[in-house]
Amino acid sequence: MSKRVLVVDDAAFMRMMIKDILVKNGYEVVGEAADGMQAIDLYKEHQPDLVTMDITMPEMDGITALKEIKQLNPAAKVIMCSAMGQQAMVIDAIQAGAKDFIVKPFQADRVLEAISKAVG
């Protein structure tokens, strides 16, 4: 069975890039969200194996959404996506329970490495 992934990023282009990498490598993308509020709703609906979560988004940022998802499911696996220069936020995310982080612009091998480590 393929691993089910929820892709969260406020930029449609970034969602498309991650989705493309995932689908080409046998993952199933069960949903896409443009902000943290949508991410939480879709997480409840789909219960994915993994979430890729952008840090900086409108409405609700990725770290807040990560904390909410961890409250819903303490075993949730979330990988944060950050732009260069967001180290402090990445540290906050890891402390809040993120499994790993990937840096934009995405490199397919790094994305896949982080995901395979997270979902085992």
Side-chain angles (χ1 to χ4, degrees), residues 31-103:
E32 292 181 47
D35 64 56
M37 299 294 284
Q38 282 182 352
I40 292 162
D41 291 342
L42 287 171
Y43 186 87
K44 288 178 192 167
E45 184 182 332
H46 296 290
Q47 299 289 307
D49 298 311
L50 179 80
V51 180
T52 64
M53 179 84 69
D54 187 19
I55 289 182
T56 314
M57 295 181 290
E59 302 300 321
M60 179 189 284
D61 67 68
I63 294 174
T64 306
L66 164 69
K67 290 175 181 170
E68 295 265 339
I69 287 171
K70 282 298 213 177
Q71 283 184 332
L72 292 170
N73 176 6
K77 294 178 171 72
V78 180
I79 293 176
M80 303 308 286
C81 305
S82 72
M84 286 299 219
Q86 291 182 319
Q87 280 83 352
M89 291 169 114
V90 167
I91 291 166
D92 288 347
I94 300 291
Q95 288 171 341
K99 290 281 180 201
D100 202 346
F101 68 95
I102 46 181
V103 178

